[in-house]
Amino acid sequence: MTTTKRFLVGAAARNNAEWCAVMSRSHGVRGEFGRQAWTAPARTPPYYPDAVTLAPGADAAELLDRIDTEARGASVKDSFADLDLTRAGFRVLFDAHWIHRPASAPVTVPEPAWDVVRTPQALRAWQLARAGAADDAALFRPELLDDPATFVLAGRSAEGRVVAGAVASRSERVAGISNVFASAGGAAAAWPGVLHTVERLFPDLPVVGYEHGEDLDAALRHGFEPIGPLRIWLRD
């Protein structure tokens, strides 16, 4: 891995950990940043890890001591895909790739129109469009709207209905993108609007995130490059 890619992976991991910290705080769980990892002492919201490594070669035993491995569902985002947690009862949930897109990369004007969600009512509509059902519609809480580094992005139809979206997380060196969706066409249909909106919000910041499978393919078609592997571990 080149020096540039190592820097970008480190920046992407830190950005993602900051977003996980914000999301966890909105659910009343306060994590802690250490030199090697961000960790949460209690179970985090669904789909969010209890730990995110911030540097290669993190001490697995020390990391696991800082999370709750007794309750079912403990998970670790192994940002450098270099841990082995099998002896602690974890299994690999999936492998993915960190992705990067330069700040100078061209963007296209999207259809439909995109904006930033500002109110709890608009956030509720965004969540229902994302989840497709009420089960996950309480995951994103209004407290997120008060965080100055978090931007919930919504693509709207001509009638004003939310049809696509994403979350942008600004940090010092990068803008991180997660939760990309579209009601029709999947993530591929959302990326033009996401990138156009992020370029407007943070014109000088490179864009990072992580994807796998078809969503990774869609991101690569929209100007991203893979910069390093990561792995999600789960303890059932």
Side-chain angles (χ1 to χ4, degrees), residues 38-195:
W38 171 82
T39 54
R43 189 64 67 247
T44 48
Y47 317 116
Y48 285 80
D50 302 309
V52 181
T53 60
L54 302 174
D59 186 311
E62 179 183 337
L63 182 150
L64 295 178
D65 281 345
R66 293 168 57 190
I67 68 174
D68 181 3
T69 57
E70 298 300 322
R72 184 177 179 180
S75 61
V76 173
K77 184 171 289 174
D78 176 5
S79 300
F80 303 87
D82 62 358
L83 298 180
D84 184 355
L85 303 181
T86 53
R87 292 185 178 180
F90 286 75
R91 64 177 175 87
V92 176
L93 183 63
F94 64 85
D95 289 296
H97 284 276
W98 294 110
I99 55 175
H100 161 256
R101 195 176 192 273
S104 59
V107 297
T108 58
V109 178
E111 292 290 343
W114 283 70
D115 60 20
V116 177
V117 170
R118 303 290 187 188
T119 67
Q121 294 80 6
L123 180 63
R124 174 70 176 176
W126 182 93
Q127 290 193 86
L128 289 173
R130 173 187 174 275
D135 290 349
D136 289 340
L139 182 59
F140 292 79
R141 297 185 172 180
E143 289 85 349
L144 294 174
L145 303 179
D146 297 327
D147 183 74
T150 300
F151 299 77
V152 179
L153 312 180
R156 302 180 184 277
S157 67
E159 297 75 28
R161 182 170 54 90
V162 178
V163 295
V167 174
S169 307
R170 184 192 63 219
S171 55
E172 183 180 359
R173 296 182 175 90
V174 295
I177 303 298
S178 62
N179 295 281
V180 180
F181 74 90
S183 301
W191 273 120
V194 172
L195 293 171

